[in-house]
Amino acid sequence: MTFTEARAVCSQLIWRAYDDKLYKSAQKKLAGELIALSPRIGCAEPGIFFLDAQGLDHLGGEGKLCRDLLKLASRNGFVDGRVGIAGCAFTARIASSSLKKRWTIVPAGQDCDFMAPLPISLLPLSPESLANLEALGIKTIAQMLALPKVSYEGRFSSDVISAYELAGASDPFSPSLPFVEKSFDVFFDIGSALDSLKETLFILKSMLDKLSAELLKEGLSADELTLRFYNDNDLFDERAIKLLRPSVNSRFLLDVVRLSLESKPLKREFTAIRLIVSRFSREAFEQIHTKLGSSRNNEKEVNDNSVLLLMQRLSSRLGETALVRPLASDGHLIENSGFWQPVLSRSLPSEFLPVDSAYVDKCLGTPGKDNLMPGLVLKRHVPAMPVFVSSVKGDSDSSLSASHSVPTAVTYKGQWYQISRVTMPERISGLWWEVPVRKSYYVALLDKLSRRKPSRSTPDKKSDLPAFMTVLLVFDHQEQSWYVEGVFD
Amino acid sequence: MVQVGVANLRKELEQLFPGKWLSPGESVRALKTGLSFLDVLSPALVRRHLTEWFGSSSSGKTSVLRTLCSRWCASGLNIVYIDTFDRLLASDWCDVGNKNEGRFWVLRGGVTILEREAGLDYTKNALWACEQLIRSQAFDVVILDLAERGVITSSVHARLKRSLERSNTSLIVLRDDDSLSSDSEMGKFSSPVSSAAGRVDFGFVEPVRIEYGVDGPISITPTIRSTIARAILRAGMGVSGGGKSLEVSVSPYVSNRLFTHPPVPDRRTSKKR
């Protein structure tokens, strides 16, 4: 059922995108509650928990544990919970998937008997492996276990071998004691309203110093900072500051926070700040080169560090896509024959087509010692500048923007200029499946010396254009209009 | 006594041949371009100094600069181009620094059309980034394209100059000024940067090279003329001199853009042809 169909059935339906963070948060919260029933707990994908059910005989046994678990889940809003108890985690998981009973207890030592009649589709197998096994007549777990393990080894992929282990009730996974989650956050209630950047940074410096000391004590480095600004308990600004490389240097962290505040200033005054190290990692120690004669390497290393700091500054203020490098693409449209690839990202645009650079180099050849690279550099007008053109000499008012013919004069920056030379059009079309493009590209040389006389309505003012000017003149067949897309410089 | 004699001789030579004297270390700091019309007399581009590339909006200055960037990258230098107004096309620059050599990065303004129309002062970010890039000491050449709004205030210039003195970078400021680009005015010094170490003027002149295809002209390339204001070059190095300038014409080699796939078919119907 599509969303539109569902909406037709239920008009109050609300669309919400899948939020992994939200699910993980709910799972973590419920796991925290489940610790009250069993000290050992483990989590799988969202909604699946593993608890240690051993040693509960004197506390009511496994039946009571199942009831308590369902009660606790219901209290937290999960009313359709299922419980399975078995000797290994995988069997317990299969047991909990029963739709008929709220809980299923597999007697001790009978895991294989419980699993035997079940189909092999319950095992974690790839579709190809499942199809192969079924083609061989192996449809139940009992049939699978009837053959020794060596029969599968070498004939099937690793997923079949691991599924065989699980089918034999030997799952290595077991719930463990929960670890104490570390959190690094500092809250500072100022007591009065503040909006000055200098004073804000002063407060943040002390907060960062405290956090850095705590991180250092634990041997950790910050990967991401989250900054929250409150105005009388009203959270009005929250920003996550991602670091390009983990750092525990409070001075550097303050610099990054300052850049963030400068590029995106606060909209109102605040009364409290919360600074959280939202992501952190183990501090990395790098051995400095001690070998003699490695000055070049050290220089490169220093250079890399300075580039890293620089990129952090630039990305904080100008965005992660500001610093780019050119990337050639084998497209015939001007826009698609090259892309700007962000330096901080290795992902390629979907329209990217690799270029056979050896072939292009062979065709273009190497320019001579004093020759420039082939072609002139185009500097685009963004957006393209609409212009009027004339195709008949001596008639400046006859604009032929509606019809497409070779132009002889053009208005550029408000004045008529004669086109002394123009190339044959390069006609390019494409993208009919998205936004159709049909354009004719001309390279035109504008000549100021043979400039046309201005009309009576426009005063004769000094031209600001140079003697020669080369422009990219484009006729858009879709819009039936002329544009100057850029100048060659 | 000998030192005084050498100093006097140097002064005398400087007066006789203004701009031709190189002080010790300058030749090391100079960035050779590989183009004889820029290197023939004296270094046009010097590390720790600001050089202004000046010309009309269509004068060939960026085409010359692209060749220099390609050569510098091939020799292992790192270059960053601050494209303040997002005017560059990626396909034009793909051959620069694409091999395992010096890096060529472009810092784009990232200004949306709405922000542009609202008159946002986006040169502020460009100037800030320029200073950061120089101070990082990670780049040998920083190119700042200010287009028509090429005004650098004295305070910003002082900051840039201070950063340059502490680094090993050469700063090139590209500036479009269509009002001063006529032939008679080329070479006159009217720099918006008060104490630029050097200045190179550009402009398109005759003859125009035309490449013909089957049906007619397929490529038009005017000659690029550059004028190096060498006196100003010297002034940036603490030596005053006259206004003698050098003019060299360069005809760029033009070739059609080649792609690995066959040419785009002409989809017009036979009647329209």
Side-chain angles (χ1 to χ4, degrees):
Chain A
M1 185 185 281
T2 63
F3 178 67
T4 313
E5 288 168 349
R7 194 75 187 272
V9 176
C10 177
S11 62
Q12 293 175 340
L13 192 69
I14 300 169
W15 168 262
R16 280 190 182 154
Y18 177 77
D19 187 358
D20 188 51
K21 198 175 172 184
L22 191 70
Y23 277 86
K24 282 184 178 169
S25 169
Q27 179 142 11
K28 197 186 282 182
K29 190 183 168 193
L30 189 57
E33 299 278 336
L34 291 173
I35 289 172
L37 300 178
S38 174
R40 289 174 184 268
I41 189 164
C43 297
E45 60 263 33
I48 306 289
F49 299 90
F50 292 101
L51 284 89
D52 186 5
Q54 280 185 340
L56 299 174
D57 295 339
H58 298 293
L59 295 172
E62 292 169 346
K64 186 173 183 298
L65 174 68
C66 293
R67 285 194 295 277
D68 290 347
L69 277 171
L70 292 172
K71 269 186 201 168
L72 196 144
S74 298
R75 274 206 301 274
N76 283 277
F78 304 100
V79 291
D80 55 348
R82 299 274 189 279
V83 182
I85 294 184
C88 80
F90 182 71
T91 314
R93 184 178 179 144
I94 297 289
S96 70
S97 61
S98 169
L99 295 173
K100 291 178 185 170
K101 293 190 279 185
R102 297 291 307 273
W103 68 81
T104 306
I105 299 173
V106 180
Q110 294 182 21
D111 283 15
C112 289
D113 298 339
F114 172 77
M115 298 269 282
L118 298 176
I120 57 168
S121 57
L122 292 174
L123 297 171
L125 289 166
S126 65
E128 294 83 17
S129 301
L130 187 62
N132 289 338
L133 288 171
E134 284 181 344
L136 291 169
I138 300 171
K139 292 183 179 171
T140 62
I141 291 175
Q143 288 170 339
M144 189 180 188
L145 291 174
L147 293 170
K149 192 180 173 184
V150 288
S151 304
Y152 297 97
E153 286 172 349
R155 290 191 176 89
F156 291 93
S157 53
S158 59
D159 62 324
V160 176
I161 309 302
S162 55
Y164 186 91
E165 298 280 350
L166 293 175
S170 59
D171 187 358
F173 178 81
S174 64
S176 59
L177 288 170
F179 60 90
V180 180
E181 193 176 339
K182 292 176 184 126
S183 65
F184 300 93
D185 72 305
V186 186
F187 183 77
F188 192 90
D189 193 348
I190 302 161
S192 61
L194 200 69
D195 60 351
S196 156
L197 177 66
K198 198 175 172 183
E199 290 169 351
T200 308
L201 289 173
F202 181 75
I203 293 167
L204 283 169
K205 185 180 180 301
S206 61
M207 294 168 85
L208 282 168
D209 283 341
K210 185 174 183 296
L211 283 178
S212 295
E214 287 179 13
L215 287 167
L216 268 176
K217 196 177 169 186
E218 300 285 341
L220 299 169
S221 293
D223 284 350
E224 187 183 85
L225 300 174
T226 301
L227 204 51
R228 290 176 186 158
F229 290 91
Y230 300 85
N231 189 322
D232 289 337
N233 299 327
D234 174 26
L235 175 66
F236 70 93
D237 191 300
E238 178 173 352
R239 57 184 79 197
I241 303 166
K242 201 162 77 175
L243 303 174
L244 294 180
R245 200 171 77 169
S247 175
V248 75
N249 186 338
S250 61
R251 195 174 166 190
F252 171 71
L253 295 175
L254 182 67
D255 203 16
V256 174
V257 169
R258 182 175 58 80
L259 285 165
S260 170
L261 289 170
E262 281 177 353
S263 60
K264 196 176 144 193
L266 295 173
K267 289 177 183 169
R268 54 195 283 203
E269 54 192 17
F270 64 94
T271 57
I273 312 176
R274 184 180 290 278
L275 181 61
I276 308 163
V277 181
S278 42
R279 284 199 298 124
F280 49 84
S281 59
R282 185 65 52 189
E283 193 177 9
F285 295 95
E286 289 179 7
Q287 179 71 43
I288 299 166
H289 284 280
T290 51
K291 191 180 169 186
L292 289 172
S294 61
S295 59
R296 178 74 185 167
N297 292 338
N298 285 342
E299 187 185 322
K300 188 176 179 296
E301 195 173 311
V302 169
N303 200 356
D304 287 347
N305 283 335
S306 64
V307 170
L308 193 77
L309 290 173
L310 171 75
M311 288 201 292
Q312 180 69 62
R313 287 196 180 103
L314 294 176
S315 64
S316 298
R317 177 153 171 166
L318 306 174
E320 289 184 6
T321 56
L323 203 58
V324 292
R325 67 179 129 219
L327 185 70
S329 178
D330 204 359
H332 66 279
L333 293 175
I334 284 187
E335 295 84 2
N336 292 345
S337 56
F339 294 104
W340 293 116
Q341 185 192 24
V343 172
L344 298 172
S345 161
R346 291 285 172 191
S347 60
L348 296 169
S350 56
E351 301 90 359
F352 173 72
L353 292 168
V355 177
D356 185 357
S357 54
Y359 176 78
V360 175
D361 289 346
K362 186 182 160 192
C363 294
L364 286 177
T366 310
K369 184 177 176 294
D370 268 342
N371 284 340
L372 302 184
M373 288 175 72
L376 295 170
V377 171
L378 180 68
K379 285 190 170 172
R380 306 190 69 187
H381 288 308
V382 185
M385 189 183 291
V387 291
F388 291 103
V389 301
S390 169
S391 62
V392 183
K393 285 185 179 176
D395 184 11
S396 61
D397 293 325
S398 63
S399 170
L400 297 176
S401 59
S403 64
H404 176 217
S405 56
V406 178
T408 56
V410 62
T411 55
Y412 185 71
K413 295 191 175 176
Q415 292 186 8
W416 279 99
Y417 287 92
Q418 182 157 345
I419 297 172
S420 60
R421 291 177 183 90
V422 66
T423 59
M424 295 300 291
E426 186 186 358
R427 295 190 173 91
I428 294 178
S429 62
L431 296 177
W432 51 266
W433 57 94
E434 288 178 5
V435 183
V437 175
R438 285 199 306 133
K439 290 181 178 177
S440 294
Y441 291 87
Y442 298 85
V443 177
L445 193 69
L446 306 188
D447 194 350
K448 189 182 80 171
L449 298 174
S450 53
R451 177 169 55 113
R452 291 166 167 243
K453 288 180 182 176
S455 61
R456 287 178 185 176
S457 57
T458 54
D460 188 11
K461 57 181 181 181
K462 190 189 172 193
S463 165
D464 282 345
L465 286 177
F468 284 112
M469 191 164 188
T470 319
V471 299
L472 183 66
L473 196 59
V474 179
F475 181 74
D476 193 329
H477 295 266
Q478 292 292 122
E479 298 184 9
Q480 290 290 304
S481 51
W482 287 90
Y483 294 93
V484 169
E485 284 213 347
V487 293
F488 289 97
D489 185 22
Chain B
M1 190 67 187
V2 175
Q3 286 179 349
V4 174
V6 170
N8 288 336
L9 180 64
R10 183 177 161 179
K11 277 183 185 174
E12 206 167 315
L13 285 169
E14 184 57 47
Q15 285 176 356
L16 286 171
F17 308 104
K20 289 191 177 181
W21 184 265
L22 280 176
S23 62
E26 273 176 25
S27 58
V28 179
R29 294 211 308 257
L31 286 168
K32 291 285 181 186
T33 63
L35 297 172
S36 58
F37 73 96
L38 283 172
D39 291 336
V40 65
L41 283 180
S42 71
L45 298 157
V46 184
R47 288 178 187 269
R48 298 181 187 170
H49 283 89
L50 188 152
T51 311
E52 193 186 4
W53 285 49
F54 197 76
S56 68
S57 51
S58 178
S59 56
K61 57 185 181 299
T62 316
S63 298
V64 176
L65 192 61
R66 181 179 58 166
T67 304
L68 300 192
C69 288
S70 175
R71 293 181 182 214
W72 283 331
C73 279
S75 61
L77 300 185
N78 298 321
I79 301 162
V80 63
Y81 189 114
I82 303 171
D83 185 15
T84 313
F85 302 93
D86 292 350
R87 297 191 303 166
L88 296 187
L89 203 64
S91 56
D92 283 341
W93 298 83
C94 293
D95 294 331
V96 181
N98 60 349
K99 298 185 176 75
N100 191 18
E101 42 201 27
R103 63 174 79 97
F104 175 77
W105 289 352
V106 175
L107 186 74
R108 308 197 73 208
V111 180
T112 60
I113 293 171
L114 287 174
E115 286 172 334
R116 197 185 298 270
E117 286 170 353
L120 186 77
D121 184 16
Y122 34 92
T123 53
K124 193 177 168 187
N125 277 345
L127 291 167
W128 172 84
C130 181
E131 190 188 351
Q132 296 296 323
L133 289 161
I134 294 167
R135 284 170 61 183
S136 72
Q137 302 192 12
F139 295 93
D140 299 281
V141 181
V142 175
I143 301 160
L144 177 61
D145 190 348
L146 290 176
E148 293 165 354
R149 301 188 188 179
V151 178
I152 297 179
T153 59
S154 56
S155 60
V156 173
H157 178 256
R159 287 174 69 99
L160 290 177
K161 197 177 170 188
R162 212 163 36 240
S163 302
L164 281 170
E165 282 167 1
R166 292 173 191 166
S167 73
N168 212 16
T169 307
S170 175
L171 173 62
I172 300 172
V173 177
L174 281 180
R175 185 176 174 241
D176 298 346
D177 193 344
D178 292 331
S179 61
L180 296 175
S181 58
S182 62
D183 297 349
S184 60
E185 287 166 327
M186 267 187 79
K188 285 183 181 176
F189 184 68
S190 61
S191 174
V193 183
S194 56
S195 59
R199 173 171 151 170
V200 189
D201 286 352
F202 289 89
F204 283 140
V205 290
E206 295 275 8
V208 178
R209 173 178 282 194
I210 300 174
E211 302 276 326
Y212 285 93
V214 178
D215 295 331
I218 55 165
S219 166
I220 294 172
T221 313
T223 303
I224 301 169
R225 184 177 70 178
S226 63
T227 307
I228 305 171
R230 293 181 61 249
I232 300 155
L233 260 175
R234 305 295 306 157
M237 298 170 191
V239 182
S240 59
K244 195 174 179 181
S245 63
L246 170 72
E247 294 185 12
V248 183
S249 297
V250 179
S251 296
Y253 169 75
V254 178
S255 176
N256 288 332
R257 182 178 298 280
L258 293 172
F259 291 103
T260 52
H261 54 71
V264 181
D266 189 347
R267 296 191 180 87
R268 288 175 301 164
T269 58
S270 55
K271 284 182 183 176
K272 286 185 179 175
R273 280 181 202 171

